[in-house]
Amino acid sequence: MRPASAGIWLVSIVTFLHLILAFHTELGVDEAHYALYGLHPDWSYFDHPPMVGWLQILPMALIPTDWGARLVPIALFVVLNFLLYRVPEKLFSADGNSRQDAQWIGFWSLILLNSSTLFSLMGFGLLPDLPLMVFTLLLVLVVHSMLQHPSGDIPLRLWVFLGILVGLAALAKYTAVTLVASLMLVMLAAGRWDWLKAKGLWLAVAIALLLITPILYWNGIHDWASFQYQIEHGAGKNQWLLKNFIRSQAIQLVSYTPLIYFIGYWMLMKPDNYRQQSSRLLILFALPVILLFAWGSGFEESLPHWLSLAWLLLIPLIAKTLWQRRRISWIKYSAAGLLMLFTALNISLQSLLYSFWYPFQDNENPFKTEYGWPQAMQKAQQLQKQHGEERIFVGNWSYASRSAWYLKPQAIFIANSKQTQFPFWFPQAPQGATGLLVQPAYDKEMPVGNQPYQFASCHRIDQLSLREHDRLVVNYDYYRCEGFHY
């Protein structure tokens, strides 16, 4: 089988499995949040740029369902697989490798991508990182093409593509700022500082700035709320702790598999990768992301998907290293064994999303935080009518995302002082308001007391117990609360 055919088969199987999960699992917290973006179109949003919401506008207008919210990420993941195959095929064949070798490196890049649990989960659950990764791989291809031309002979269309892709990446996620640092590093490493004098570059800058005007406009009319949130989020802690950094690294090790993690770091430290233009290009786009979150994770633990762009860019180098050493028996069999192990673990984990076949003990199911929100909201609506309550409250934004999605278009109120997107959608509850509070039983932190955005008192009126295969997965408690204040 040719590598292209093998890649098509692989992506087809993965897409089929993602479609099965799309129709049989409820939305996670981020998925529901971004589906709500699509139901509330805007120039931008409090916690993210608008791309992730804009992509959901049409699906939410036509198919506002759980599976409808997953059509965009499934399609984007197919595109991502295609680009990840194309990048090593294009870059490494230009470095003296045979075209067939470059294509097989592309195929094994797809194997590495789809054996990783986190990448695979992103294949059907939308995160801002997914469009960012797509735009960045396209940007890598454009910059590679630019480097093949003398500085004065770069076609204008490549400068235009450069500006469009940087602008689209910025509309996807604020960490796209690392792409600017990467482009500066590429110019430095390739000795292309004369690009700064090129008219095409300033045209690209103008296009990128034009594309990000929706972000600037939204922030301008909302007191720069999103920028303030990002600054506080990134620099809100004043003490760098080694334990935070180590914990973040451990989470990445598990999320991206040891094969990607350890060989990826080896690729960053290997001098030869900085001498070859194609390898250097990938590293220079990955390195600023690695450094940004290595520094930031000491102040606040980094979520694993925040570094997905960096690990994605290192995957072709990992695949190339393994392919070039495929005739060394212990490397070949070790890599094959690890890939089979990680793939089996990945499939097992995702099968648990489909059905809780493993006999977890009562209240010990690791997926309990992502389970039962449709049923919980259905019961909340029944109790709301039964007790004549006007408002439904929850304790934080992650509960609010699922609640607002499964009770759409009803407003959901948050009994929490932390600023979120929801006040931009729903009016604030008045002083002294009463309401029905929905609280997962695993959350023992009740919003009762004298602090802002808490209640004077709450008393439980009901409970919903959800079981699978005669095992208790999660309880949801319902409280009637009085005296909301802020």
Side-chain angles (χ1 to χ4, degrees):
M1 185 177 293
R2 294 177 301 172
S5 300
I8 290 171
W9 274 105
L10 172 64
V11 175
S12 298
I13 292 170
V14 169
T15 303
F16 176 70
L17 295 175
H18 285 167
L19 286 170
I20 292 176
L21 289 174
F23 280 88
H24 289 89
T25 57
E26 63 188 81
L27 294 189
V29 55
D30 290 315
E31 293 179 278
H33 197 55
Y34 304 135
L36 291 171
Y37 278 15
L39 290 173
H40 299 86
D42 208 339
W43 291 105
S44 191
Y45 301 90
F46 170 70
D47 41 4
H48 285 292
M51 181 61 69
V52 72
W54 291 355
L55 290 171
Q56 290 288 41
I57 291 175
L58 184 59
M60 292 302 95
L62 300 177
I63 319 168
T65 61
D66 287 2
W67 65 268
R70 285 172 168 152
L71 294 180
V72 166
I74 290 173
L76 278 178
F77 197 65
V78 172
V79 175
L80 184 71
N81 275 266
F82 168 77
L83 291 173
L84 189 60
Y85 178 89
R86 180 64 175 154
V87 163
E89 180 189 29
K90 182 79 171 177
L91 269 61
F92 296 148
S93 60
D95 258 0
N97 298 280
S98 71
R99 183 175 178 82
Q100 186 176 43
D101 277 350
Q103 289 175 337
W104 277 115
I105 293 169
F107 169 73
W108 286 104
S109 296
L110 302 188
I111 292 288
L112 287 165
L113 177 77
N114 289 282
S115 67
S116 164
T117 299
L118 186 59
F119 279 127
S120 188
L121 289 175
M122 291 171 68
F124 71 94
L126 185 60
L127 289 173
D129 308 82
L130 189 52
L132 175 63
M133 290 190 291
V134 169
F135 298 140
T136 301
L137 288 184
L138 286 169
L139 183 61
V140 167
L141 291 172
V142 167
V143 174
H144 174 73
S145 295
M146 292 174 67
L147 290 170
Q148 308 312 305
H149 293 83
S151 294
D153 294 330
I154 296 175
L156 184 62
R157 70 176 187 280
L158 292 180
W159 290 114
V160 172
F161 290 154
L162 180 75
I164 291 173
L165 290 169
V166 170
L168 291 176
L171 289 172
K173 195 167 184 179
Y174 287 119
T175 50
V177 68
T178 61
L179 298 180
V180 177
S182 293
L183 290 170
M184 297 294 287
L185 290 173
V186 169
M187 286 193 292
L188 173 64
R192 296 294 185 97
W193 286 107
D194 53 337
W195 284 6
L196 294 173
K197 301 177 183 178
K199 294 180 180 178
L201 175 64
W202 300 105
L203 174 62
V205 171
I207 291 171
L209 290 174
L210 179 64
L211 285 173
I212 67 171
T213 51
I215 300 173
L216 301 176
Y217 173 73
W218 186 93
N219 276 277
I221 63 175
H222 291 97
D223 299 322
W224 306 103
S226 186
F227 292 161
Q228 291 183 42
Y229 167 73
Q230 295 297 331
I231 292 171
E232 293 172 2
H233 189 55
K237 306 290 178 62
N238 55 18
Q239 186 178 9
W240 197 94
L241 298 175
L242 180 61
K243 66 177 183 180
N244 290 345
F245 171 79
I246 294 174
R247 193 176 292 118
S248 297
Q249 294 298 315
I251 293 172
Q252 291 175 53
L253 171 65
V254 173
S255 300
Y256 293 102
T257 75
L259 197 62
I260 293 176
Y261 181 87
F262 288 116
I263 302 181
Y265 270 117
W266 178 33
M267 294 299 97
L268 288 173
M269 294 182 290
K270 188 179 179 185
D272 283 349
N273 285 334
Y274 293 86
R275 299 188 187 103
Q276 299 176 351
Q277 187 184 89
S278 58
S279 300
R280 183 175 65 230
L281 183 61
L282 290 169
I283 285 180
L284 293 182
F285 272 93
L287 193 59
V289 183
I290 293 283
L291 294 176
L292 174 65
F293 289 108
W295 171 78
S297 64
F299 295 100
E300 180 183 20
E301 288 181 35
S302 298
L303 295 178
H305 64 270
W306 293 354
L307 287 102
S308 56
L309 176 60
W311 295 116
L312 176 81
L313 291 164
L314 292 174
I315 279 177
L317 295 177
I318 298 168
K320 179 183 176 183
T321 295
L322 294 175
W323 179 254
Q324 290 175 338
R325 291 161 174 77
R326 66 189 183 277
R327 292 184 175 86
I328 302 175
S329 296
W330 74 268
I331 292 180
K332 177 173 65 175
Y333 292 118
S334 297
L338 288 171
L339 284 170
M340 287 189 288
L341 173 63
F342 300 145
T343 301
L345 290 173
N346 187 14
I347 293 173
S348 297
L349 178 65
Q350 294 191 46
S351 70
L352 284 171
L353 298 176
Y354 184 88
S355 174
F356 294 148
W357 49 266
Y358 185 84
F360 295 105
Q361 296 300 311
D362 288 355
N363 277 317
E364 292 184 5
N365 193 305
F367 299 101
K368 64 183 178 182
T369 59
E370 305 295 325
Y371 180 77
W373 286 95
Q375 301 94 310
M377 289 303 105
Q378 184 179 18
K379 185 171 183 65
Q381 208 164 37
Q382 294 170 355
L383 292 172
Q384 185 183 27
K385 294 176 181 177
Q386 180 181 337
H387 292 269
E389 294 294 347
E390 182 181 352
R391 300 174 185 86
I392 291 181
F393 286 83
V394 292
N396 60 52
W397 77 270
S398 67
Y399 302 161
S401 292
R402 271 76 63 89
S403 302
W405 170 252
Y406 288 112
L407 286 181
K408 56 183 181 295
Q410 181 172 338
I412 296 296
F413 301 91
I414 302 178
N416 192 301
S417 60
K418 185 177 180 180
Q419 189 175 7
T420 68
Q421 175 66 44
F422 287 88
F424 295 95
W425 291 334
F426 307 129
Q428 184 58 265
Q431 288 277 11
T434 63
L436 178 71
L437 175 69
V438 182
Q439 182 91 338
Y442 52 77
D443 187 349
K444 306 301 181 184
E445 187 175 344
M446 289 290 295
V448 178
N450 297 321
Q451 298 298 317
Y453 299 93
Q454 291 187 339
F455 293 96
S457 64
C458 292
H459 65 275
R460 195 172 75 176
I461 58 175
D462 211 333
Q463 184 179 72
L464 174 67
S465 297
L466 297 176
R467 309 180 73 88
E468 286 281 346
H469 305 300
D470 295 324
R471 302 281 183 171
L472 178 64
V473 179
V474 63
N475 287 321
Y476 286 90
D477 295 324
Y478 300 86
Y479 299 84
R480 187 179 189 278
C481 297
E482 299 175 335
F484 182 72
H485 52 270
Y486 51 89

